[in-house]
């Protein structure tokens, strides 16, 4: 029997299959969304807006999205922002529905299926089809966030409180390892494009298709091993899941005021995670457009980040056995602030300095993300995991909107990515200050959960 502090053999078996979903979806996020998509769609947008201008010059003409003028260099940040706005209206309802469904895994299956198809279909974006790229990216981003709501909630159901830092960190480490392996495959493929008689653009489009298939295959493997995940009968209510979900959503926002520490954490996470996710989503755009690095150099950069982050996630997971997760996350935000400030001063083509910053990001990236997820899991009321994680997920990986909107607006105004990147410092400063006010022990007790040994 479980004693509330260590996982049972059955829980360990479920956890081993749970990790593989992080392997599947984080690899897609890392290679497609964080590396290839931003520079590729920006180049498509630049050519559409300035068809006769050399590719190494800033395009000062605008595209028009629904009649609104948009700088080509701001298109990707605005696309991510749009995906987040859609997520905010959809995913919180999905979370409440998943908690009250007899088969919550079908949500994970559905989001994975639609998302992986949209991800693979990015291979069709060529010529002047920047609008198609926008649409597919919005669909895939919403599906990533939707699937991770259920995925994060499943962790709570299969992991006792004192094991969650370890399990969350290991899940992230699987994601980094899978992302690193897929990056190697893409890097080799990109390096052989001349030998294969393919253009760089063609290789990128083929990579989009491969990355979508990767997501689908490994997600299927993970989901098939999770059918024994326990469902909490006390959470089920009559009527359709949609009606119950909408009704419960109203109650969630009303009741959130009764969990002030959970609310404080969410506000802190909204800010500092927006900074983290905007750095991840915009690093390749900054490197390609501002610092003039090649696609191969950007892939090498993210490959380095992946493997450093793999060790960083495991290291932070071990440190959390002795140091409270809240304190570790706050310390990681100091380094995020330093990295963003230093990125402002990196000269063009200074690839060695760029790699040093990548090491700094990798050291704290895994710990910030893994410990934030496990910390929040302790502040979620029992039986309401997917519902409350939908609020968390609306601010999570690649779906941030305040940061990406700021990044895009600053570029729209000044046509300078250096100003865009340094503007993100405010998110780490504000997020860290808000996180300092969270009383974790009080929040765990208020949520009706068992207090971990280290808090």
């Amino acid at each position: 029997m479980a004693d509330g502090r260590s996982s049972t053999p059955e829980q360990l078996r479920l956890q081993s299959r749970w990790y593989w979903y992080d392997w599947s979806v984080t690899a897609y996020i890392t290679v497609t969304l964080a590396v290839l998509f931003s520079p590729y769609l920006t180049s498509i947008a630049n050519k559409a807006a300035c068809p006769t201008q050399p590719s190494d010059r800033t395009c000062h003409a605008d595209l028009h999205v629904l009649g609104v003028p948009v700088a080509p260099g701001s298109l990707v940040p605005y696309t991510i922002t749009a995906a987040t706005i859609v997520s905010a209206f959809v995913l919180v309802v999905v979370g409440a529905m998943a908690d009250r469904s007899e088969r919550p895994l079908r949500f994970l299956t559905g989001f994975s299926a639609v998302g992986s198809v949209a991800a693979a279909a990015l291979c069709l974006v060529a010529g002047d089809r920047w609008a198609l790229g926008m649409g597919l990216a919005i669909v895939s981003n919403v599906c990533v966030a939707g699937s991770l709501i259920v995925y994060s909630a499943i962790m709570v159901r299969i992991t006792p409180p004192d094991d969650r830092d370890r399990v969350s960190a290991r899940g992230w480490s699987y994601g980094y390892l899978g992302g690193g392996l897929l990056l190697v495959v893409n890097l080799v493929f990109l390096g052989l494009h001349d030998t294969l008689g393919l253009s760089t653009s063609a290789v990128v489009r083929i990579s989009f298709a491969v990355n979508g298939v990767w997501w689908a295959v490994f997600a299927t493997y993970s989901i098939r091993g999770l059918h024994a995940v326990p469902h909490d009968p006390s959470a089920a209510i009559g009527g359709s899941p949609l009606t119950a979900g909408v009704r419960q959503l109203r109650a969630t926002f009303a009741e959130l005021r009764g969990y002030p520490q959970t609310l404080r954490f969410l506000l802190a996470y909204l800010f500092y995670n927006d900074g983290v996710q905007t750095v991840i989503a915009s690093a390749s755009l900054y490197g390609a457009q501002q610092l003039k690095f090649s696609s191969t150099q950007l892939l090498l950069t993210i490959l380095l980040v992946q493997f450093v982050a793999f060790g960083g996630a495991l290291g932070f997971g071990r440190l959390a056995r002795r140091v409270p997760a809240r304190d570790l996350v706050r310390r990681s935000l100091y380094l995020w602030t330093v990295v963003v400030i230093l990125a402002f001063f990196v000269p063009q083509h200074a690839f060695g300095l760029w790699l040093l910053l990548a090491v700094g990001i990798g050291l704290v990236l895994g710990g910030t993300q893994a410990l934030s997820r496990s910390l929040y899991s302790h502040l979620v009321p029992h039986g309401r995991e997917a519902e409350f994680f939908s609020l968390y997920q609306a601010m999570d990986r690649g779906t941030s909107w305040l940061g990406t909107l700021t990044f895009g607006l600053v570029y729209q105004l000044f046509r300078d990515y250096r100003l865009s990147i340094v503007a993100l410092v405010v998110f780490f400063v504000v997020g860290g200050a808000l996180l300092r006010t969270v009383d974790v022990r009080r929040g765990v007790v208020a949520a009706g959960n068992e207090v971990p040994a280290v808090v």
Side-chain angles (χ1 to χ4, degrees), residues 39 55-56 58 282-295 297-298 301 339-358 361 407 411 415-419 421:
S55 59
D56 61 346
T58 300
S282 305
S284 60
L285 184 60
Y286 184 74
Q289 299 294 320
Q290 187 69 47
L291 304 183
K292 308 303 180 183
F293 295 135
S294 67
S295 297
Q297 288 175 312
L298 293 175
T301 301
V339 167
V340 167
I341 292 173
L342 291 177
F344 175 84
F345 295 102
V346 174
Q348 287 188 359
H349 306 294
F351 190 54
L353 291 176
W354 178 253
L355 290 180
L356 287 177
L357 293 182
I361 288 177
F407 191 93
Y411 182 83
R415 294 302 205 269
D416 189 339
Y417 286 117
R418 291 188 187 276
L419 296 178
I421 200 75

Side-chain angles (χ1 to χ4, degrees), residues 157-335:
R157 297 190 185 191
I158 65 177
T159 310
D162 280 342
D163 257 0
R164 288 182 196 162
D165 289 335
R166 174 188 66 82
V167 171
S168 183
R170 182 162 295 184
W172 280 103
S173 70
Y174 265 59
Y176 294 129
L177 193 59
L181 179 59
L182 189 57
L183 270 170
V184 170
V185 173
N186 281 267
L187 185 61
V188 171
F189 190 36
L190 189 63
L192 294 175
H193 73 90
D194 285 334
T195 304
L196 298 173
L198 297 171
S199 66
T200 301
S201 175
V203 170
V204 170
R205 293 200 304 274
I206 293 171
S207 295
F208 287 153
V210 171
N211 299 343
V213 171
W214 176 288
W215 179 5
V217 169
F218 287 105
T220 300
Y221 173 75
S222 177
I223 291 168
R224 285 184 175 178
L226 292 173
H227 288 290
V229 170
H231 175 63
D232 185 0
S234 65
I237 49 181
S240 73
L242 176 59
T243 301
V246 172
R247 185 166 62 247
Q248 188 57 54
L249 177 60
R250 297 194 192 102
T252 300
F253 282 105
E255 292 175 15
L256 191 57
R257 290 176 296 179
Y259 300 99
Q261 306 309 319
T262 306
L263 179 59
R264 287 182 184 181
F265 176 83
L266 281 173
L267 290 174
Y269 187 72
L270 170 66
F271 280 95
Y272 76 74
N273 186 66
D274 268 7
V276 170
Q277 296 302 330
T278 305
V279 171
I280 294 171
S282 305
S284 60
L285 184 60
Y286 184 74
Q289 299 294 320
Q290 187 69 47
L291 304 183
K292 308 303 180 183
F293 295 135
S294 67
S295 297
T296 300
Q297 288 175 312
L298 293 175
L299 282 170
L300 284 170
T301 301
I302 303 301
L303 181 62
L304 176 62
V305 170
Q306 287 298 109
F307 286 111
V308 174
F310 170 75
L314 294 178
F316 269 79
R318 293 189 182 97
L319 283 173
R321 298 173 185 172
R322 302 187 300 274
V323 182
R326 189 201 68 163
D327 295 343
L328 288 173
V329 173
R330 284 184 58 225
R331 293 170 190 174
S332 76
L333 298 181
Y334 298 144
L335 186 52

